[in-house]
Amino acid sequence: MGEPEKAKQTWVFSFIGIALLVAFIQFVQFSKVPWFVLPLVYTALTYIPMKWMQGRKIQSHLLSGGQLYKGDRVFVVSFVGAVATYLVLLIANMFFQAVTTGVVS
């Protein structure tokens, strides 16, 4: 959308979000939380700021004939993001295990 500063902000918010996700996973007992709650929470926490910060611009872009990316590109980007998030969570979990138990399994 021609706003490189907002792209940088998006990256900062993404890293903060991943850090919060890691902290949430480490400090909450998931035996009491249904499996579907986490995806609902982080989806809402990304959708709401997106609509607030860029909703009008996206709507204007689409109304003026602007195009969306095709589904295959969205899938690839989403898959890469999911793998990166999984790796961060795996590494963080190993780190927290090592700190709390002194042993990495």
Side-chain angles (χ1 to χ4, degrees), residues 12-26:
V12 170
F13 287 130
S14 296
F15 287 120
I16 291 170
I18 289 173
L20 292 173
L21 182 63
V22 168
F24 181 77
I25 288 172
Q26 293 301 320

Side-chain angles (χ1 to χ4, degrees), residues 22 26 84-98:
V22 168
Q26 293 301 320
T85 302
Y86 175 76
L87 290 175
V88 168
L89 294 173
L90 180 67
I91 292 167
N93 187 41
M94 290 172 56
F95 172 77
F96 284 119
Q97 269 187 346

Side-chain angles (χ1 to χ4, degrees), residues 1 58-59 61-62 65-74:
M1 301 249 175
I58 292 169
Q59 187 177 22
H61 171 75
L62 294 175
Q67 298 295 313
L68 294 174
Y69 286 113
K70 292 183 180 183
D72 56 347
R73 181 174 176 162
V74 172

